[in-house]
Amino acid sequence: MVDHSPLHELTPLQASDQPYTAEQLAQLNADSDAIIARYPQKRSALLPMLHLIQSVDGYVTGRGVTFCAEKLELTDAEVSGVATFYTQYKRHPNGEYTVGVCTNTLCAIMGGDAIWESVSEHLGIGHDETTPDGKVTLERIECNAACDYAPVVMANWEFFDNMTPESTNRLVDDLREGAEVRPSRGPNRVCTFKQMSRTLAGFPDGLADQGPGAGPASLEGLKLAHERGWVAPGSANEVGGEHQATEQASGIQQENLPGTTQSSTEGHGTPEAAKGEQND
Amino acid sequence: MTDLTPILTKFWDAAQSWTLQTYLDNEGYQALDKALGMSQEDLVAMAKDSGLRGRGGAGFPTGMKWGFLPKPDGGPRYLVVNADESEPGTCKDIPLMMAAPHFLIEGVAITSYAIGCNHAFIYVRGEVVHVYRRLQKAVEEAYAAGHLGKNIHGTGFDLDVTVHAGAGAYICGEETALLDSLEGRRGQPRLKPPFPAVAGLYARPTVVNNVESIASVPPILLHGADWFKGMGTEKSSGFGIFSLSGHVTRPGQYEAPLGITLRELIDMAGGMRNGHQLKFWTPGGSSTPIFTAEHLDVPLDFESVAAAGSMLGTRALQIFDETVSVVRAVSRWIDFYAHESCGKCTPCREGTFWLKQIMTRLEHGQGTQGDIDTLLDVCDNILGRSFCALGDGATSPVTSAVQYFREEFETGMHTPWWVAFPPERSVLFDTKETVSV
């Protein structure tokens, strides 16, 4: 019924014999120095530096390991030991987009298993495998803290909420075709794996102000409180807030949430789509 | 009937809710002003008086944690925020940081001042890029406005804040594993003592607090410990975000006083999905023993949930109806624990491996007569025998599910779960489309 992936992947770190170009090396050095400067002790820079390596190489290469080791005065073995511990560090060339289907218990039961089977068959690849065009790497992922939007799919670690097998297949098709793909809660379009890795290394991409503050499920309790006139006890502000609350209650529409409107036309796990499908 | 109390969720529906301006429009950074005019001792006393208990699952009193730091010796002291939210079912910190990150940033500034810290860290899991962006942006705005950096609000207090992205490992939500990870190592738990308060980050005195705990500090300081204690129960004071997921009509975030019941929350969420019955649920994530319909009226506070045999945990209420196989649910959680066990302690590493073998057998209807006893025996050999609580958490779903649904484990000796509980009945979308793929 469900294929069980091995407990721990045993793929070795791929060596990369080709040295970095002088230009790459200069940039890596400058960026690493900026990362190291954020911490009282330089070894703390290792995790962000491994994200940085992935932003250049697309996975954790042998040369990347050596670069980090030399920069932080560690051995290659020490760096490899860290790189192989964390699932976001990839041991072989990754696709331009990592698509992760949550198959932890709640999402799996709400439809994540059906999504996984469908998209895996659609792409003809399994866990931690990449399409021949190098576009999509598929993963089964663990709980990504969006259970109220189950079933959840992540694309380069942006949220695609309330997904279905159909919307997920459409998502991977769009990613492979290079269409602009907008997450349910995230920036206007999904960045590439390398761009996303650079962001995680701590270099802002200027996209923080895009997308909604909260999705519809995050607002369910607040919406109900507005409808029933519930406010937290106490301060004058809360009393004043009551008027504001009633105004807002009528104003909670999708239009107030930048980012959700366009996604609904694209149909990637939109709340509207899900609501229609939710009554089984 | 308990009312909801939107405090941390109050302005999540505002346009651009995450900006400094929106936060300032909602009392933002007034608490920091107040804190900087108080003594450190008074701030710690205020936190203790409020009765605020850790919102990351364990429920340890926050003020007491601050008070455990040894007297200043001239060296650095650290605040590390645990933003590695990954307990299955838990989904409150991520929307909080996405919608209103300044609650956390102001809380970090106040807490740092209270414990004498000049460099704080926010360790956020790496699998939520947009939350990382929002945190970085909030920190940037706070620096520019003088709420962080040098000479904050003209008081001479200096604070730097570093937002640090993890790289995918559940175990890093355990506070000492998180510290090792933040030091650039494999995220493996440390033996305690020494506790982080004495030897934490870089072996210096360190406070590690959950996102929601720290975010609750500004409203508590602004409105007073009594205001906070006016909500909740005597020993579980205040409010918390309750996360409903699964087979309810409107899953989502419901901020309420501690002590609210699941019956009330399900009612607020529009009831169970159409025509279905509650079968089992987790009160606080997959590591807390499951409950059934008989626990609908248990007040969701630390004491009452414990008295009923589980833990309040992170208030991650995962709701499953009668279509769901308990064996399937538990087996998938066990897959998770086996995958995420860091491998440091033998009982957890080997124990979760063996639990997985047996659960998989039961899933396929190929269990043997002794399997239930073996499961319980393995759990007995994991519980309390490792450095951290990951292994303990793995035993919770198994032992509680056997307690309430033993007959389903017995069914697993001859019938696969998907025959007894066809999975298409549980999914939230129309399954006809899946056939055509």
Side-chain angles (χ1 to χ4, degrees):
Chain A
M1 189 75 197
V2 171
D3 63 320
H4 287 274
S5 50
L7 276 183
H8 303 284
E9 301 122 68
L10 299 174
T11 328
L13 278 173
Q14 304 291 307
S16 167
D17 299 331
Q18 210 179 354
Y20 288 113
T21 64
E23 199 181 52
Q24 282 175 321
L25 210 52
Q27 186 68 46
L28 277 172
N29 272 305
D31 290 341
S32 303
D33 290 341
I35 294 172
I36 291 166
R38 295 178 206 148
Y39 301 95
Q41 293 190 11
K42 66 180 176 183
R43 182 163 178 164
S44 283
L46 182 52
L47 266 67
M49 279 178 66
L50 288 166
H51 284 304
L52 181 70
I53 294 300
Q54 298 206 118
S55 78
V56 176
D57 287 344
Y59 69 111
V60 178
T61 51
R63 64 181 183 176
V65 167
T66 303
F67 175 84
C68 292
E70 285 173 359
K71 198 81 193 167
L72 300 175
E73 294 178 272
L74 299 169
T75 64
D76 282 12
E78 285 170 316
V79 173
S80 297
V82 172
T84 52
F85 186 82
Y86 299 92
T87 50
Q88 277 185 293
Y89 299 135
K90 310 307 292 264
R91 305 180 199 194
H92 42 78
N94 199 70
E96 203 172 325
Y97 299 96
T98 287
V99 173
V101 180
C102 179
T103 54
N104 199 301
T105 300
L106 188 111
C107 273
I109 290 173
M110 300 305 140
D113 275 355
I115 291 173
W116 170 261
E117 281 170 30
S118 148
V119 74
S120 176
E121 190 185 316
H122 182 67
L123 292 176
I125 54 175
H127 173 74
D128 201 27
E129 292 176 359
T130 303
T131 51
D133 59 6
K135 289 287 184 186
V136 171
T137 299
L138 197 58
E139 288 182 10
R140 301 163 65 105
I141 59 169
E142 299 296 2
C143 185
N144 222 75
C147 316
D148 44 347
Y149 296 96
V152 170
V153 171
M154 305 297 292
N156 281 347
W157 305 111
E158 306 288 0
F159 290 106
F160 287 80
D161 301 331
N162 304 116
M163 294 299 273
T164 68
E166 270 190 354
S167 65
T168 306
N169 287 355
R170 212 152 52 224
L171 165 66
V172 293
D173 288 348
D174 285 353
L175 288 172
R176 294 182 76 180
E177 284 161 17
E180 281 210 14
V181 171
R182 179 184 286 229
S184 312
R185 291 172 293 142
N188 295 343
R189 71 171 297 179
V190 175
C191 299
T192 65
F193 181 79
K194 287 184 178 180
Q195 287 167 339
M196 178 270 299
S197 298
R198 184 166 177 84
T199 305
L200 288 181
F203 298 98
D205 54 17
L207 304 179
D209 285 334
Q210 295 184 359
S218 309
L219 297 174
E220 286 292 357
L222 183 60
K223 202 167 109 185
L224 186 71
H226 286 330
E227 282 167 17
R228 305 211 178 158
W230 290 336
V231 289
S235 74
N237 177 284
E238 302 300 346
V239 178
E242 212 160 345
H243 173 64
Q244 190 192 351
T246 21
E247 270 176 23
Q248 282 175 349
S250 53
I252 307 171
Q253 303 290 341
Q254 292 305 315
E255 299 90 82
N256 289 355
L257 306 171
T260 52
T261 29
Q262 187 184 329
S263 78
S264 62
T265 57
E266 293 177 0
H268 293 127
T270 66
E272 293 90 336
K275 268 183 196 137
E277 292 155 354
Q278 214 150 7
N279 308 316
D280 103 341
Chain B
M1 183 70 185
T2 312
D3 291 357
L4 294 177
T5 50
I7 295 162
L8 299 179
T9 56
K10 187 183 160 199
F11 55 87
W12 286 12
D13 57 353
Q16 303 249 308
S17 62
W18 61 89
T19 61
L20 177 61
Q21 191 54 53
T22 305
Y23 191 55
L24 292 175
D25 293 342
N26 289 276
E27 306 181 321
Y29 290 100
Q30 293 175 17
L32 178 58
D33 251 340
K34 190 173 173 183
L36 294 173
M38 292 168 65
S39 72
Q40 294 176 325
E41 294 74 22
D42 287 349
L43 279 169
V44 175
M46 186 276 313
K48 284 182 183 168
D49 288 346
S50 74
L52 172 65
R53 294 171 64 171
R55 297 297 191 236
F60 194 83
T62 304
M64 210 182 282
K65 226 176 191 182
W66 299 358
F68 281 154
L69 291 197
K71 292 210 181 313
D73 60 1
R77 301 147 78 85
Y78 297 108
L79 169 65
V80 178
V81 175
N82 184 344
D84 191 54
E85 181 169 66
S86 14
E87 169 74 12
T90 309
C91 49
K92 62 189 180 68
D93 296 338
I94 294 301
L96 171 61
M97 293 185 287
M98 191 183 278
H102 282 284
F103 268 120
L104 177 62
I105 308 302
E106 187 181 13
V108 165
I110 295 168
T111 308
S112 296
Y113 174 73
I115 65 168
C117 153
N118 300 111
H119 193 167
F121 297 85
I122 301 172
Y123 184 108
V124 63
R125 63 184 299 187
E127 302 106 315
V128 286
V129 192
H130 209 52
V131 171
Y132 182 69
R133 290 189 188 101
R134 289 269 161 90
L135 284 171
Q136 266 194 325
K137 179 75 193 284
V139 166
E140 205 176 284
E141 282 186 306
Y143 267 102
H147 303 309
L148 296 177
K150 297 281 178 214
N151 192 22
I152 294 171
H153 292 199
T155 59
F157 172 55
D158 299 339
L159 176 65
D160 284 316
V161 174
T162 300
V163 187
H164 179 95
Y170 168 65
I171 189 62
C172 292
E174 195 281 334
E175 62 177 4
T176 60
L178 186 151
L179 293 173
D180 261 37
S181 179
L182 184 51
E183 290 179 3
R185 302 169 195 279
R186 296 164 76 91
Q188 294 189 312
R190 303 173 180 175
L191 185 63
K192 297 188 274 195
F195 288 91
V198 175
L201 185 62
Y202 312 125
R204 294 293 306 167
T206 302
V207 167
V208 185
N209 279 152
N210 166 261
V211 170
E212 195 187 353
S213 311
I214 293 289
S216 299
V217 169
I220 294 174
L221 183 56
L222 207 55
H223 302 290
D226 287 338
W227 168 81
F228 189 72
K229 278 195 291 193
M231 289 174 270
T233 64
E234 193 190 340
K235 288 183 179 165
S236 299
S237 60
F239 55 86
I241 301 174
F242 291 80
S243 309
L244 268 79
S245 59
H247 288 138
V248 291
T249 307
R250 289 188 296 273
Q253 307 301 320
Y254 296 80
E255 192 174 12
L258 301 189
I260 194 170
T261 65
L262 185 68
R263 189 185 298 280
E264 291 175 301
L265 284 165
I266 288 182
D267 181 54
M268 290 177 188
M272 295 295 292
R273 68 174 176 147
N274 213 6
H276 290 279
Q277 300 297 313
L278 173 65
K279 182 175 179 182
F280 65 101
W281 54 290
T282 66
S286 61
S287 302
T288 62
I290 61 168
F291 274 167
T292 66
E294 71 183 75
H295 302 97
L296 270 168
D297 295 310
V298 172
L300 296 173
D301 60 61
F302 291 105
E303 293 71 30
S304 305
V305 177
S310 187
M311 291 174 282
L312 183 62
T314 50
R315 289 150 278 122
L317 305 154
Q318 306 174 85
I319 316 287
F320 301 93
D321 67 22
E322 82 287 350
T323 64
V324 180
S325 156
V326 172
V327 167
R328 176 195 189 191
V330 172
S331 183
R332 193 60 62 89
W333 277 321
I334 292 305
D335 287 351
F336 165 76
Y337 289 105
H339 181 252
E340 297 296 335
S341 174
C342 79
K344 183 165 182 165
C345 309
T346 309
C348 172
R349 182 186 65 239
E350 298 301 316
T352 54
F353 174 84
W354 284 107
L355 288 179
K356 182 180 158 115
Q357 312 308 308
I358 300 169
M359 287 307 304
T360 303
R361 217 152 59 205
L362 290 165
E363 275 199 279
H364 287 75
Q366 293 162 358
T368 60
Q369 280 302 321
D371 274 351
I372 298 177
D373 288 341
T374 310
L375 277 178
L376 296 176
D377 188 44
V378 172
C379 287
D380 194 42
N381 279 293
I382 296 174
L383 188 65
R385 293 179 206 272
S386 296
F387 280 20
C388 85
L390 187 147
D392 299 350
T395 69
S396 291
V398 177
T399 50
S400 57
V402 169
Q403 180 187 344
Y404 298 118
F405 299 98
R406 192 179 182 102
E407 68 284 358
E408 284 193 33
F409 287 78
E410 284 162 358
T411 305
M413 292 168 196
H414 48 76
T415 308
W417 66 259
W418 54 89
V419 174
F421 295 91
E424 59 274 14
R425 294 181 189 166
S426 305
V427 305
L428 294 184
F429 43 76
D430 182 356
T431 47
K432 281 184 216 107
E433 62 173 82
T434 64
V435 184
S436 63
V437 170

